[in-house]
Amino acid sequence: MTTMIAGHRVIGVAGFKNAGKTTLVERLVGELTRRGYRVSTIKHAHHSFDIDHEGRDSFRHRKAGAGEVVVVSRHRWAQIHELGEEAEPSLDEMLARMAPCDLVIVEGYKRDSHDKVEVRNVALDHPELAGDDPTVVAIAASGAVSDAPVLVFSRDDVAALADFVIAHARLGGKS
């Protein structure tokens, strides 16, 4: 069953620190876009982050008190929204702001209700998500996983994982 949120097909990539989530997302995005799919991503950060840097005009606007700053060029645009005392927006709220695409890959948000691929580094002693979390539909692991309750892929076999994601998300064929 495909997870649809705010009109988007969504698949998550979840796991614990140093499991290889970001590398897998990067490689999966590359594989899917190479196959002709339009892919977007959302990354949840558990810490403060800044895409703006001291000395930049947009940084100066924000530090002066602007609640939102939009930077636009011929190649891309970015919107920075200061939350202040507002609650962190939900995944659903952020997805509703995104432009149409074939698939959104969500990194993080491991406790949300969308379908996910668990990323495991078997050399690390992290808790397992699959089995306890019914939204985990596959595992991408750095080594063998015994008695897995879902399909297991090598973390390095991005082509096979992309085939699974395409089928699971019902993306249809591309060239």
Side-chain angles (χ1 to χ4, degrees), residues 41-60:
T41 65
I42 291 182
K43 160 74 176 159
H44 185 262
H46 289 286
H47 47 78
S48 181
F49 72 94
D50 211 335
I51 63 169
D52 212 4
H53 302 285
E54 192 167 352
R56 298 284 187 192
D57 294 351
S58 53
F59 181 91
R60 293 172 60 191

Side-chain angles (χ1 to χ4, degrees), residues 119-132:
V119 184
R120 263 190 218 172
N121 181 340
V122 297
L124 301 176
D125 190 28
H126 289 145
E128 298 175 358
L129 299 174
D132 292 333

Side-chain angles (χ1 to χ4, degrees), residues 120 137-141 143-155 161:
R120 263 190 218 172
V137 296
I139 298 169
V145 174
S146 59
D147 300 326
V150 294
L151 289 172
V152 178
F153 296 88
S154 167
R155 206 175 52 185
L161 187 57

Side-chain angles (χ1 to χ4, degrees), residues 50-156:
D50 211 335
I51 63 169
D52 212 4
H53 302 285
E54 192 167 352
R56 298 284 187 192
D57 294 351
S58 53
F59 181 91
R60 293 172 60 191
H61 295 180
R62 204 166 40 92
K63 288 301 177 189
E68 285 190 330
V69 177
V70 177
V71 181
V72 181
S73 79
R74 185 171 77 83
H75 300 285
R76 70 189 54 88
W77 66 271
Q79 179 178 17
I80 304 165
H81 179 94
E82 289 294 313
L83 289 175
E85 298 300 314
E86 298 172 49
E88 178 181 314
S90 69
L91 175 59
D92 293 27
E93 290 171 307
M94 296 314 299
L95 285 162
R97 293 173 167 256
M98 295 185 78
C101 62
D102 295 315
L103 180 70
V104 177
I105 300 175
V106 176
E107 182 180 341
Y109 291 97
K110 73 174 154 248
R111 303 290 177 221
D112 278 42
S113 62
H114 59 281
D115 290 350
K116 300 167 196 76
V117 173
E118 176 184 352
V119 184
R120 263 190 218 172
N121 181 340
V122 297
L124 301 176
D125 190 28
H126 289 145
E128 298 175 358
L129 299 174
D132 292 333
D133 183 346
T135 67
V136 174
V137 296
I139 298 169
S142 63
V145 174
S146 59
D147 300 326
V150 294
L151 289 172
V152 178
F153 296 88
S154 167
R155 206 175 52 185
D156 294 325

Side-chain angles (χ1 to χ4, degrees), residues 23-41:
T23 299
L24 183 62
V25 169
E26 176 185 20
R27 294 179 70 203
L28 194 53
V29 167
E31 180 69 17
L32 291 168
T33 57
R34 185 188 63 72
R35 295 185 190 191
Y37 294 99
R38 290 175 305 146
V39 180
S40 296
T41 65

